[in-house]
């Protein structure tokens, strides 16, 4: 169907790919010859020549078309487009066109655009209005060129009397008035405009009210009227309208629309949470925020909604709003310790006022005195920001308050007492804890370490044996016993025997295999270490810890392939990426090492070991700005993990 083809072609001519220009030109010539009564053939041919930069030929064809089809408006508009750089000729063309289409608003507006002087533009538009008094486009166009506000108001008053159903004219008239008068005008317009447009007028009134007074009750009332007059309208349409209000900085109106729309929807809360995330991706922060605020107001125990709201505030840097959201969540869920903990962690990140953090801790412990997590947070916080006496008092209160403290509290208490060098108190706490938790490996570790520090190595050794006997998860006790034999008792044979015995019980423990391999490396038996590693990888083929050992034991010739293989086998584990970064640094390949350190933190931004080594790398090879950025990133990701990180944190916790 050549007509349909030409219709499709005409609107997209500016993007038309000419390709075989001569062939296409012949095709269009044939179309003009075979169907001389279709003006679209001349339009398509002229646009083809224009795209091929054959300006003269384009003008000739469109001129011929105008002569053949003077009553076809589009051909005149195309001619004006082709002659747009020649103002005098364009004026002649538009004058000829208007002779045939004296009521064409588009042509009159084109004629006005061609005039340089404002007075002449107005003169043309006045002539156009004489012929088209009910054209809202012409009334709006002429007011653009009128500098006197009072004259504009009179013109628009006349326009609204002639075209009373035009929403755009009423809105233009209202925009020139003071807010109170503006709202009166729009309210009066609701009586004459088309029924389907009344709803949008009430939203416009709400936006004016927001700009004038920010009175939320009035805004909500006008938005409610909008809903009343809208009839059946899908949620999607209301969300789009709320986004328009947000885009024009009418946040209160946006919120009111969302609240009213969600009040009437049957969508479940999980669907609405997903919707808020989608709106946030499109940078509609207020819309997304309003959806989540609505959900939390209707279902105050919905943790998913609260967490989404916290993330939204946090990601957008609205820390004041974030803290307020936490206060609302706590007020609605006073016995939920997780909300308190999240609040406290975010306060630590974004608020330097330790007093406010202590106030929150106090409120949390008063509300939920049985929460061990809150006690542990309070102790950890005071260990960093308070005094030893405050920490001691906290432990005392904690042990009195909790009916049955868990192993975590006892271990914290023991470590604190050891840091204070109150070894008798620590030993007493260990004995009490072991009576309650006789199968806890961490308590046997604490007791063995305490005896070790006192030089009572035989007792320390016996404690580890007791722990191995009494505890099911005893691989770390085996490792500690082997270390004691090797480091303190200088008995490598016994250390080997202990680890071999452990591996017989825990053949797939990567930590035991790692310790056994490390023991041989310390003893200078690299070949035997490699044999053990080969055997270990057959048993635990995806262990990042063992593949890290493999990289450390590889020769220079093997390293490149080893990197690739280790990453593949462990699915790009961050520990492997960190090991490669350290190895590249050691080899002097600084740029590559830097890339791998960054990749490691992208993969796991909470890997504390990566921060330690990357910071050391930047101290030697980076800039102060890079170090500050890394410090900020570490602060952003509290609760870091990693063997070296946890050792350092524990070692410095009460210093």
């Amino acid at each position: 169907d050549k007509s349909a083809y030409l219709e499709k072609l005409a609107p997209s001519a500016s993007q038309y790919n000419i390709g075989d220009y001569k062939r296409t030109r012949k095709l269009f010539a044939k179309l003009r010859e075979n169907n001389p009564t279709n003006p679209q053939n001349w339009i398509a041919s002229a646009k083809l020549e224009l795209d091929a930069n054959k300006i003269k030929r384009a003008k000739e064809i469109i001129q011929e078309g105008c002569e053949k089809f003077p009553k076809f408006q589009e051909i005149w508009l195309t001619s004006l487009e082709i002659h747009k750089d020649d103002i005098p000729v364009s004026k002649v063309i538009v004058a000829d066109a208007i002779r045939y289409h004296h009521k064409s608003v588009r042509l009159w507006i084109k004629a006005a655009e061609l005039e340089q002087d404002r007075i002449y533009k107005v003169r043309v538009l006045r002539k156009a209005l004489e012929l088209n008094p009910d054209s809202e486009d012409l009334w709006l166009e002429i007011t653009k060129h009128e500098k006197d506000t009072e004259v504009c108001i009179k013109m628009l008053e006349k326009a609204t009397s002639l075209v009373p159903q035009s929403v755009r004219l009423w809105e233009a008239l209202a925009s020139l008035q003071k807010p109170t008068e503006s709202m009166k005008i729009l309210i009066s317009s609701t009586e004459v405009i088309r029924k389907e447009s009344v709803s949008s007028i009430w939203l416009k009134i709400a936006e004016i009210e927001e700009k004038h007074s920010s009175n939320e009750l009035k805004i909500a009332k006008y938005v409610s009227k909008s809903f009343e007059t809208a009839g059946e309208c899908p949620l999607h349409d209301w969300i789009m309208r709320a986004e328009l209000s947000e885009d024009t900085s009418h946040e209160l109106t946006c919120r009111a629309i969302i609240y009213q729309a969600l009040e009437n929807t049957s969508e479940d809360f999980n669907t609405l949470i997903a919707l808020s995330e989608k709106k946030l991706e499109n940078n509609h922060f207020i819309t997304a925020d309003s959806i989540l605020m609505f959900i939390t107001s209707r279902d105050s125990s919905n943790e998913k909604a609260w967490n989404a709201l916290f993330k939204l505030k946090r990601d957008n840097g609205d820390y004041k709003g974030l803290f307020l959201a936490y206060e609302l969540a706590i007020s609605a869920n006073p016995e939920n310790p997780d909300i308190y903990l999240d609040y406290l962690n975010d306060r630590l990140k974004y608020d330097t006022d330790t007093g406010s953090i202590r106030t929150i801790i106090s409120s949390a412990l008063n509300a939920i005195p049985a929460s061990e997590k809150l006690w542990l947070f309070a102790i950890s916080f005071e260990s960093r920001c308070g005094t030893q006496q405050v920490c001691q008092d906290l432990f005392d209160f904690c042990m009195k308050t909790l009916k049955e403290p868990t192993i975590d509290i006892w271990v914290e208490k023991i470590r604190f007492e050891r840091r204070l060098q109150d070894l008798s108190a620590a030993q007493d706490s260990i004995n009490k804890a072991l009576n309650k938790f006789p199968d806890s490996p961490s308590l046997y570790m604490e007791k063995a370490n305490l005896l070790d520090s006192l030089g009572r190595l035989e007792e320390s050794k016996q404690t580890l044996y007791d722990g191995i006997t009494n505890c099911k998860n005893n691989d770390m006790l085996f490792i500690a016993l082997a270390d004691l034999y090797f480091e303190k008792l200088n008995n490598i044979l016994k250390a080997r025997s202990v680890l071999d015995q452990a591996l017989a019980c825990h053949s797939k423990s990567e930590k035991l295999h790692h310790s056994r391999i490390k023991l041989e490396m310390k003893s200078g038996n690299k070949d035997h270490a490699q044999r053990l590693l080969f055997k270990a990888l057959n048993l635990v083929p995806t262990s990042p810890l063992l593949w890290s050992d493999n990289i450390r034991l590889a020769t220079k010739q093997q390293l490149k392939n080893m990197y690739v293989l280790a990453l593949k086998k462990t699915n790009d584990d961050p520990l492997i990426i960190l090991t490669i970064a350290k190895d590249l640094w050691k080899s002097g390949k600084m740029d590559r090492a830097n890339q791998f350190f960054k990749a490691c933190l992208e993969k796991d931004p909470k890997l504390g070991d990566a921060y330690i080594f990357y910071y050391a790398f930047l101290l030697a090879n980076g800039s102060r700005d890079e170090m500050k950025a890394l410090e900020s990133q570490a602060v952003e990701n509290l609760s870091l993990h990693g063997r070296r990180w946890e050792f350092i944190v524990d070692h410095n916790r009460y210093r």
Side-chain angles (χ1 to χ4, degrees):
D1 182 351
K2 64 185 178 223
S3 297
Y5 171 69
L6 289 169
E7 287 287 347
K8 281 184 181 179
L9 179 65
S12 58
S14 59
Q15 288 87 35
Y16 177 59
N17 183 7
I18 294 171
D20 187 354
Y21 162 67
K22 290 182 179 179
R23 183 168 165 271
T24 308
R25 186 181 186 187
K26 286 180 181 178
L27 170 64
F28 284 170
K30 193 74 173 174
L31 286 172
R32 295 199 308 275
E33 181 182 341
N34 293 340
N35 192 2
T37 61
N38 188 348
Q40 288 289 358
N41 292 337
W42 272 260
I43 291 174
S45 294
K47 288 189 175 182
L48 173 69
E49 301 296 342
L50 187 65
D51 284 344
N53 206 26
K54 308 289 186 182
I55 308 299
K56 183 179 179 182
R57 178 63 182 154
K59 289 179 179 180
E60 289 172 354
I61 291 173
I62 204 65
Q63 177 62 29
E64 185 181 340
C66 289
E67 291 171 1
K68 284 181 174 290
F69 310 101
K71 293 185 178 181
F72 188 67
Q73 180 181 225
E74 289 300 323
I75 206 159
W76 291 105
L77 291 167
T78 304
S79 182
L80 287 169
E81 180 187 340
I82 293 171
H83 290 86
K84 62 184 178 183
D85 295 329
D86 191 336
I87 300 299
V89 171
S90 293
K91 285 184 177 182
V92 172
I93 292 169
V94 80
D96 287 343
I98 286 172
R99 282 196 298 118
Y100 293 99
H101 305 277
H102 60 279
K103 287 203 170 188
S104 169
V105 172
R106 293 170 68 189
L107 286 171
W108 279 110
I109 289 175
K110 282 283 185 184
E113 288 174 356
L114 292 170
E115 298 294 342
Q116 301 298 310
D117 193 293
R118 185 185 69 85
I119 293 174
Y120 291 115
K121 285 181 184 288
V122 171
R123 185 179 295 170
V124 170
L125 291 169
R126 282 179 179 170
K127 181 65 175 175
L129 278 167
E130 288 177 14
L131 298 167
N132 302 275
D134 58 350
S135 169
E136 62 177 338
D137 288 331
L138 287 173
W139 283 111
L140 291 169
E141 188 69 24
I142 198 170
T143 55
K144 289 180 187 177
H145 304 292
E146 182 53 66
K147 293 182 177 179
D148 191 322
T149 303
E150 290 301 319
V151 173
C152 271
I153 289 173
K154 288 178 181 178
M155 293 174 90
L156 288 168
E157 285 174 345
K158 177 69 174 176
T160 52
S161 68
L162 292 170
V163 198
Q165 292 189 327
S166 170
V167 173
R168 291 195 297 158
L169 288 174
W170 283 107
E171 288 181 347
L173 176 59
S175 69
L176 298 175
Q177 309 282 351
K178 291 181 179 179
T180 306
E181 187 62 30
S182 177
M183 285 189 283
K184 286 180 182 178
I185 289 169
L186 289 176
I187 291 171
S188 67
S189 76
T190 60
E191 299 176 3
V192 293
I193 63 174
R194 288 181 293 273
K195 185 179 179 181
E196 62 269 21
S197 302
V198 173
S199 176
S200 64
I201 288 292
W202 284 113
L203 292 182
K204 186 69 177 178
I205 293 168
E207 290 178 348
I208 294 171
E209 182 63 56
E210 177 174 350
K211 190 174 181 181
H212 173 54
S213 70
S214 297
N215 187 316
E216 293 185 46
L217 290 175
K218 288 186 177 181
I219 293 167
K221 182 182 77 172
Y222 294 136
V223 169
S224 180
K225 283 185 176 291
S226 174
F227 276 78
E228 289 170 9
T229 55
E232 291 294 326
C233 191
L235 176 63
H236 172 75
D237 290 352
W238 286 115
I239 297 291
M240 286 183 63
R241 189 58 187 80
E243 290 173 339
L244 288 174
S245 290
E246 180 178 353
D247 291 341
T248 53
S249 301
H250 294 98
E251 295 182 4
L252 296 179
T253 305
C254 171
R255 287 192 187 280
I257 295 170
I258 293 294
Y259 291 163
Q260 185 77 38
L262 297 185
E263 199 71 63
N264 301 322
T265 187
S266 59
E267 295 285 359
D268 64 85
F269 287 155
N270 284 335
T271 301
L272 294 178
I273 291 169
L275 177 63
S276 75
E277 292 169 353
K278 185 177 179 181
K279 296 306 165 189
L280 191 58
E281 289 173 5
N282 296 330
N283 296 317
H284 284 110
F285 172 81
I286 303 299
T287 302
D289 183 78
S290 302
I291 293 171
L292 294 172
M293 289 292 285
F294 174 85
I295 297 170
T296 54
S297 69
R298 296 300 183 275
D299 181 9
S300 60
S301 62
N302 192 321
E303 288 191 41
K304 186 177 179 181
W306 282 116
N307 288 330
L309 182 60
F310 300 150
K311 184 177 185 301
L312 181 148
K313 301 281 189 186
R314 193 184 300 121
D315 291 349
N316 285 274
D318 181 14
Y319 303 128
K320 185 178 179 180
L322 173 63
F323 299 154
L324 177 59
Y326 274 121
E327 295 289 350
L328 292 171
I330 287 168
S331 178
N333 303 273
E335 296 185 0
N336 187 329
D338 292 332
I339 296 177
Y340 274 109
L341 288 168
D342 289 341
Y343 187 18
L344 287 164
N345 280 319
D346 277 338
R347 276 282 188 178
L348 277 175
K349 289 181 189 178
Y350 309 120
D351 188 359
T352 57
D353 181 9
T354 56
S356 64
I357 295 171
R358 286 193 173 97
T359 300
I360 298 166
I361 291 173
S362 177
S363 298
L365 290 174
N366 284 333
I368 321 171
S371 171
E372 283 198 3
K373 291 188 286 188
L374 288 172
W375 282 108
L376 288 169
F377 182 94
I379 290 164
S380 175
F381 174 74
E382 292 300 344
S383 72
R384 281 178 284 171
C385 304
T387 63
Q388 290 181 345
Q389 185 58 52
V390 171
C391 286
Q392 182 67 66
D393 291 342
L394 274 173
F395 272 117
D396 292 341
F397 285 132
C398 175
M399 301 305 282
K400 289 176 183 177
T401 303
L402 297 174
K403 291 181 180 180
E404 293 292 336
T406 65
I407 187 67
D408 294 332
I409 294 288
W410 281 106
V411 169
E412 271 311 306
K413 186 174 187 295
I414 292 161
R415 290 176 179 177
F416 174 70
E417 289 165 343
R418 285 189 60 200
R419 294 285 185 271
L420 292 181
Q421 295 298 309
D422 191 350
L423 300 184
S424 61
Q427 196 161 12
D428 183 56
S429 294
I430 289 170
N431 292 332
K432 287 180 180 177
L434 277 171
N435 285 332
K436 293 178 179 293
F437 308 99
D439 58 350
S440 169
S442 57
L443 287 175
Y444 287 101
M445 288 285 288
E446 291 297 330
K447 184 175 181 179
N449 288 336
L450 175 62
L451 293 168
D452 190 341
S453 66
L454 294 171
R456 294 153 62 178
L457 299 182
E458 287 300 319
E459 292 178 67
S460 177
K461 179 178 70 174
Q462 186 56 50
T463 297
L464 291 170
Y465 272 117
D466 291 343
I468 289 168
T469 302
N470 295 327
C471 303
K472 290 182 179 179
N473 299 321
N474 56 14
D475 50 348
M476 293 307 296
L477 293 171
F478 274 115
I479 292 170
L481 182 59
D483 287 344
L484 179 65
Y485 272 118
F486 183 77
E487 302 289 349
K488 300 292 177 70
L489 301 176
N490 298 316
N491 190 338
I492 188 172
L493 293 176
K494 195 62 179 173
R496 282 195 186 108
S497 174
V498 167
L499 290 174
D500 288 341
Q501 180 189 350
L503 284 167
C505 301
H506 308 285
S507 61
K508 293 191 176 182
S509 169
E510 63 173 355
K511 291 178 181 177
L512 283 171
H513 283 294
H514 171 71
S515 296
R516 184 70 182 86
I517 292 160
K518 190 168 67 171
L519 178 64
E520 295 305 326
M521 288 297 295
K522 287 179 180 178
S523 305
N525 299 324
K526 185 176 179 181
D527 290 341
H528 188 41
Q530 286 178 321
R531 286 193 293 273
L532 289 170
L533 178 59
F534 179 77
K535 180 181 178 181
L537 282 171
N538 282 330
L539 291 167
V540 197
T542 60
S543 165
L545 192 58
L546 294 177
W547 277 105
S548 294
D549 289 337
N550 213 1
I551 290 171
R552 281 188 283 268
L553 288 170
T555 63
K556 286 185 178 180
Q557 292 76 19
Q558 295 172 327
L559 271 177
K560 188 173 180 181
N561 289 334
M562 190 64 70
Y563 292 164
V564 175
L565 191 58
L567 289 168
K568 182 180 179 181
K569 290 288 186 180
T570 63
N571 194 25
D572 295 340
D573 189 276
L575 180 60
I576 295 297
I577 300 173
L578 176 60
T579 304
I580 294 171
K582 292 190 295 182
D583 197 64
L584 290 167
W585 178 15
K586 182 180 175 182
S587 304
K589 299 173 182 177
M590 302 307 175
D591 289 341
R592 293 284 289 154
N594 192 35
Q595 290 173 4
F596 271 85
F597 277 123
K598 288 180 178 178
C600 179
L601 286 173
E602 285 177 11
K603 184 77 173 178
D604 184 1
K606 290 185 177 293
L607 182 58
D609 291 10
Y611 287 99
I612 293 170
F613 287 107
Y614 192 23
Y615 199 80
F617 173 83
L618 292 176
L619 276 170
N621 305 286
S623 66
R624 185 59 196 156
D625 287 342
E626 288 175 307
M627 291 164 66
K628 284 183 177 178
L630 189 63
E631 290 167 11
S632 299
Q633 188 177 351
V635 170
E636 282 289 317
N637 294 282
L638 292 176
S639 305
L640 303 180
H641 65 92
R643 289 187 304 159
R644 187 176 292 267
W645 175 267
E646 287 162 10
F647 171 79
I648 291 172
V649 169
D650 179 56
H651 188 67
N652 291 279
R653 183 165 294 171
Y654 300 107
R655 292 194 169 190

